[in-house]
Amino acid sequence: MGARSAVAETGWRPPRPVIRRSSGNWALQSALDRSGLGPVAGVDEAGRGACAGPLVVASCVLRAGDARRFEGLTDSKVLSEAERERLYEVIVRRAVAWSTVVIEADEVDALGIHVANLEGMRRAVARLAVHPGYVLTDGFRVQGLAAPSVAVLKGDLVAACVAAASVLAKVTRDRIMCELDERLPRYGFAGHKGYCTVHHTARMREHGPSGEHRWSYSNVVAAARLHGMRSPRTVTSKPGLFDASEGEVVDNGRT
């Protein structure tokens, strides 16, 4: 019997979650848990706006009532590097379940950044050791998560499990970019992490892009043309929801 028919025939309604503002960024998860809709998983990504390196997507399930163990947990972008590293260790130790998915630059070029992001979110949820009863995503709806889900505006700020996923994704990606910096020191990846800073742009224009750059992005193509370089792989992606297109490549500007 569907929910609507059940209401019509019996007058029964499913419990409505009560969100307590005093719970801070644990309020939404706590309300879902109290309504029997848990465990609640959060999903977020790092590296969508970069023009080099992988996209990293993470998913995390936090234990209900564990808020005091996660003091300071919020969107990874507003945390210092030291705070992110501290919280990362707490998350991997205390979380009920967590997973990270690394989507390399060549797959981003093949799929397009938006499609790669959606696919990464599906993979991250599927890899959790527990099956979530509900999934919270940051900002936009994701289909195919194999569990009910809701998009939460600024989810990495208002939902603790999404914030935890953002920390997992950000720390994982930053570590990868530091490893790439050791292999390719001329680009300065350890400093800008592959984003389109003035320093990164200057290095890319001076040396030409590497195989770790995203060749579906117009600024990468423009730098390659200065050196007569061609893409090391076939770029098949089309612009996605978050992309501004210029021909067959993505113009990611300064985001």
Side-chain angles (χ1 to χ4, degrees), residues 164-254:
S166 78
V167 170
L168 291 170
K170 174 67 173 167
V171 171
T172 299
R173 187 176 188 279
D174 283 358
R175 291 176 178 178
I176 291 171
M177 297 309 294
C178 288
E179 291 174 0
L180 289 180
D181 184 69
E182 294 180 2
R183 287 172 39 204
L184 301 166
R186 61 182 177 272
Y187 296 106
F189 287 143
H192 52 69
K193 305 301 191 293
Y195 287 91
C196 302
T197 64
V198 172
H199 176 73
H200 185 194
T201 299
R203 292 294 185 91
M204 192 164 53
R205 291 174 70 87
E206 178 183 356
H207 301 289
S210 70
E212 301 296 339
H213 283 85
R214 300 176 186 175
W215 286 75
S216 55
Y217 283 41
S218 64
N219 58 333
V220 175
V221 173
R225 285 174 179 162
L226 295 175
H227 296 265
M229 298 171 66
R230 299 179 65 86
S231 175
R233 50 187 171 265
T234 301
V235 175
T236 58
S237 65
K238 298 294 183 181
L241 180 62
F242 295 107
D243 309 328
S245 63
E246 180 181 325
E248 295 299 313
V249 298
V250 173
D251 180 3
N252 64 326
R254 296 180 180 272

Side-chain angles (χ1 to χ4, degrees), residues 28 134-142 145 148-155 158 162:
L28 180 54
Y134 220 86
V135 179
L136 304 180
T137 62
D138 182 23
F140 57 91
R141 187 167 176 243
V142 181
L145 290 175
S149 65
V150 65
V152 182
L153 183 62
K154 297 184 178 179
V158 302
V162 179

Side-chain angles (χ1 to χ4, degrees), residues 75-105:
D75 176 10
S76 63
K77 293 187 290 296
V78 303
L79 295 169
S80 68
E81 181 178 355
E83 289 173 321
R84 287 195 298 267
E85 288 286 347
R86 176 185 67 81
L87 284 164
Y88 178 93
E89 298 303 327
V90 176
I91 292 165
V92 299
R93 185 173 68 251
R94 296 287 307 179
V96 174
W98 63 276
S99 69
T100 56
V101 173
V102 178
I103 301 176
E104 302 291 353

Side-chain angles (χ1 to χ4, degrees), residues 53-65:
L55 175 72
V56 177
V57 185
S59 184
C60 187
V61 177
L62 298 179
R63 186 174 288 102

Side-chain angles (χ1 to χ4, degrees), residues 6-67:
V7 170
E9 294 184 16
T10 68
W12 176 87
R13 291 179 180 275
R16 176 175 293 179
V18 177
I19 298 178
R20 298 168 182 167
R21 293 184 180 179
S22 60
S23 299
N25 63 357
W26 286 75
L28 180 54
Q29 173 180 331
S30 296
L32 292 168
D33 282 326
R34 288 196 304 272
S35 298
L37 298 175
V40 181
V43 189
D44 203 6
E45 52 73 29
R48 193 178 70 198
C51 65
L55 175 72
V56 177
V57 185
S59 184
C60 187
V61 177
L62 298 179
R63 186 174 288 102
D66 214 16

